[in-house]
Amino acid sequence: MTFQGWLLIAAFIGILLALAKPIGLWLFALYEGRRTPLHAVLGPVERGFYKLSGIDPDEDHSWRRYAVNMLIFNAALLLLTYAVLRSQAGLPLNPLGYAGLSEHLSFNTAVSFATNTNWQSYAGESTMSNLSQMLGLTIHNFLSAATGIALAFAFFRGFARRSATGIGNFWADVTRVTLYLLLPICIVYALFLIASGVPQTLAGSVDVTTLEGAKQTLALGPVASQEAIKMLGTNGGGFFNANSAHPFENPTALTNFMQMLSIFLIGFGLCWTFGKAVGNTRQGWAILAAMLTIFLIGVTVIYAQEAAGNPILHGIGVAGGNMEGKEVRFGIAASALFSAITTAASCGAVNAMHDSFTALGGMIPLFNIQLGEVVVGGVGAGIYGFLLFAILAVFVAGLMVGRTPEYVGKKIESREVKLAVLAIAVLPLIILGFAAIASVTDAGLAGPLNKGPHGFSEILYAFTSAVGNNGSAFAGITANTPFYNGLLGIAMWLGRFFVIVPMLAIAGSLAAKKHTPATAGSFPTTGPLWTGLLIGIVLIVGGLTFLPGLALGPVADHLAMIRGQLF
């Protein structure tokens, strides 16, 4: 570990903390439906959408109607993408003449991008046409991200409203987030990437002559526009197979730093927005403090393990840290930080191959996802996931003080606790259940390229990433098969919407309740004690649930590495 490495981590955290309130204020304006400076230009576009679709943006929806609209919207987008991918060969903007995708790969990819997972069982530069990249995939990058933020707004309203029957309008929330937040930032972001050397063209490839005089064909396409929303919307699906390790997606140290910032930017802002929505910004800072504490522990472990290197290589005289699977352009510190960020958020973009990390260095990205990706998390999904843990934490606190649990002025009763447990418990059930199926079937065992504990880690990581809607992978697994494409597709859908629906039910229940003023007997939910309790609940409930999988994979692999054994 080096001073420069720690300086990079400190600069990253410091800049994000400085940006949390400004981006939070902008998000709060969208949450309330207030006018922003961009309304002068984009207001007519927004009103035009409502007029064409017959939507009344002022109509308030119950949680059930909000959920149904959200499910219909995402199902329709999934079908659109499936159709585009299957018929790719006959559609325009296909300069390299790629064939349509198979049924199982089209299904997996459509579900993946609709759920903000962006798992990729294919190499983008040799599979997808420009039209498929733009219409089939990039559109999801915007709308799945907008859906997550809209759902966070709905949950905030559940805590903020009093004796209300509705939690907002899904169509208005998604439209405003897309028009006034995601699109403007991504236009500026894409221009920055183009200026930094990221391609943005409808050409499919270019022939070049290398320094050795050989001829080489380089894949091109509309990369910058996809890259911007890939990061800002915590999507993670790369235009190229190497993702953000590819110089056309991430050419410089500055673009690498900007990509890391953009992954966490909206998640930081939403914490502040939550505090503002419930009338006490300290509530938002308390949540962000808990998130950052867990994150910093994780990034420290990864950095320490990767900097220490592999004892097997040390034993044969190869000194230094573990550079296997890492870009020399970024080095160990930037690779460790990126891996912690992308798995703490539900992004899944990578600038180094997690399968090549040391055993414990690779365990933390896996563990980050298994916590439910609530450590900042995906745009919207991270904060509403963390609030589910907050409901459990305040329930435990209520038991300790002998009172009915209260959180930000709302009584937390049995209905909310049961729904929160349901939303949290569904993740381990699906992850461990599907990983168990893959571990005992011939089709599942054919996927991992490694044997022993590391091969099991590849299977476990795949289903953890799918259910957690992350999309990164231990790249040693071959997933483009009917078995894995089908099972991972189902896992992604269940992992996204089996959390959302109970969360919206909680929002509806809370919105209908009256506000309960805090008293001397109320448990404080803004100080260090509350932050510590939150961290404990997340680690215990989110972490110990997955202990069997963790012990069988990365820990066993680490012990084998210490003994000098290779699997």
Side-chain angles (χ1 to χ4, degrees):
M1 295 188 286
T2 65
F3 173 76
Q4 290 87 347
W6 287 114
L7 185 62
L8 173 69
I9 295 170
F12 170 78
I13 297 297
I15 292 173
L16 281 173
L17 287 173
L19 293 174
K21 183 175 179 179
I23 192 69
L25 279 169
W26 191 271
L27 285 161
F28 184 70
L30 300 180
Y31 161 81
E32 287 201 319
R34 291 192 284 108
R35 187 177 178 84
T36 70
L38 291 178
H39 274 71
V41 177
L42 297 176
V45 179
E46 179 189 4
R47 292 189 293 272
F49 282 147
Y50 297 147
K51 186 174 181 179
L52 287 173
S53 57
I55 292 170
D56 178 5
D58 297 322
E59 183 181 8
D60 207 23
H61 294 166
S62 68
W63 78 263
R64 290 181 178 84
R65 187 173 177 187
Y66 202 101
V68 169
N69 288 340
M70 180 270 303
L71 290 171
I72 291 174
F73 180 65
N74 283 274
L77 288 173
L78 186 154
L79 293 175
L80 169 65
T81 297
Y82 181 85
V84 169
L85 299 180
R86 289 287 292 138
S87 56
Q88 175 177 264
L91 295 175
L93 297 178
N94 187 5
L96 300 181
Y98 291 140
L101 278 63
S102 65
E103 294 93 335
H104 58 85
L105 182 56
S106 296
F107 166 74
N108 180 277
T109 305
V111 173
S112 178
F113 279 78
T115 57
N116 200 244
T117 307
N118 304 84
W119 170 276
Q120 295 174 284
S121 295
Y122 60 88
E125 64 266 45
S126 60
T127 306
M128 296 290 181
S129 69
N130 288 339
L131 183 70
S132 294
Q133 293 278 16
M134 294 186 293
L135 179 61
L137 305 184
T138 303
I139 188 174
H140 278 296
N141 289 351
F142 279 96
L143 296 178
S144 66
T147 296
I149 298 171
L151 291 167
F153 286 175
F155 205 20
F156 294 174
R157 294 185 187 109
F159 288 101
R161 291 184 174 181
R162 307 177 184 185
S163 303
T165 58
I167 57 172
N169 186 305
F170 173 75
W171 306 115
D173 286 340
V174 168
T175 301
R176 289 165 183 159
V177 168
T178 304
L179 272 181
Y180 301 114
L181 177 73
L182 299 179
L183 274 172
I185 295 178
C186 285
I187 289 172
V188 177
Y189 194 178
L191 291 173
F192 160 75
L193 291 173
I194 293 169
S196 301
V198 177
Q200 181 68 20
T201 175
L202 294 180
S205 63
V206 63
D207 294 326
V208 300
T209 302
T210 67
L211 294 175
E212 294 82 7
K215 300 293 183 182
Q216 185 175 352
T217 300
L218 301 179
L220 297 175
V223 184
S225 56
Q226 181 169 317
E227 191 71 18
I229 188 58
K230 157 191 163 182
M231 295 303 186
L232 187 70
T234 61
N235 292 284
F239 194 98
F240 299 98
N241 190 42
N243 207 281
S244 287
H246 196 292
F248 281 179
E249 287 198 35
N250 193 8
T252 68
L254 180 58
T255 60
N256 189 66
F257 190 73
M258 290 298 294
Q259 287 185 12
M260 292 190 293
L261 286 176
S262 57
I263 293 173
F264 268 10
L265 179 63
I266 294 176
F268 266 58
L270 281 169
C271 290
W272 192 91
T273 303
F274 170 71
K276 182 70 172 176
V278 298
N280 184 355
T281 55
R282 292 179 62 195
Q283 297 287 352
W285 289 120
I287 289 175
L288 187 55
M291 289 180 173
L292 277 179
T293 301
I294 301 173
F295 171 74
L296 287 172
I297 293 171
V299 76
T300 299
V301 173
I302 299 174
Y303 188 20
Q305 290 297 312
E306 296 307 298
N310 191 324
I312 299 175
L313 298 180
H314 294 170
I316 60 175
V318 180
N322 177 35
M323 279 298 294
E324 180 187 352
K326 297 180 179 64
E327 273 288 301
V328 177
R329 292 177 297 142
F330 306 132
I332 290 174
S335 299
L337 179 58
F338 200 112
S339 69
I341 294 165
T342 196
T343 51
S346 66
C347 184
V350 294
N351 74 348
M353 300 302 108
H354 296 174
D355 194 43
S356 297
F357 279 24
T358 60
L360 295 186
M363 183 185 75
I364 297 301
L366 175 62
F367 188 66
N368 280 342
I369 308 173
Q370 289 177 339
L371 289 177
E373 290 184 305
V374 296
V375 183
V376 181
V379 286
I383 184 68
Y384 68 64
F386 208 93
L387 287 172
L388 292 174
F389 281 101
I391 288 173
L392 293 186
V394 80
F395 172 69
V396 172
L399 293 177
M400 291 190 293
V401 300
R403 287 173 53 94
T404 301
E406 300 171 7
Y407 185 51
V408 294
K410 292 297 179 76
K411 287 187 179 295
I412 305 299
E413 298 174 298
S414 61
R415 173 179 170 82
E416 291 80 34
V417 175
K418 289 176 182 177
L419 287 169
V421 170
L422 175 63
I424 293 171
V426 71
L427 299 179
L429 292 175
I430 301 172
I431 291 171
L432 296 179
F434 282 14
I437 293 172
S439 299
V440 297
T441 58
D442 291 338
L445 292 173
L449 300 181
N450 296 276
K451 305 302 179 184
H454 196 79
F456 177 78
S457 292
E458 292 173 353
I459 294 174
L460 180 64
Y461 195 107
F463 286 102
T464 299
S465 180
V467 176
N469 300 137
N470 182 268
S472 65
F474 264 27
I477 193 167
T478 301
N480 191 14
T481 64
F483 174 84
Y484 275 107
N485 278 333
L487 204 57
L488 288 169
I490 295 170
M492 287 184 277
W493 190 263
L494 296 178
R496 175 78 161 176
F497 297 108
F498 273 40
V499 174
I500 288 173
V501 174
M503 179 274 292
L504 288 176
I506 294 173
S509 176
L510 292 175
K513 294 184 178 185
K514 296 180 180 179
H515 184 267
T516 303
T519 66
S522 299
F523 186 87
T525 56
T526 57
L529 180 63
W530 168 244
T531 300
L533 180 61
L534 269 178
I535 293 170
I537 291 296
V538 170
L539 293 178
I540 293 172
V541 177
L544 293 183
T545 309
F546 303 102
L547 188 58
L550 287 172
L552 287 172
V555 174
D557 201 22
H558 177 69
L559 295 175
M561 184 179 69
I562 293 174
R563 293 194 302 267
Q565 299 172 359
L566 291 175
F567 288 95

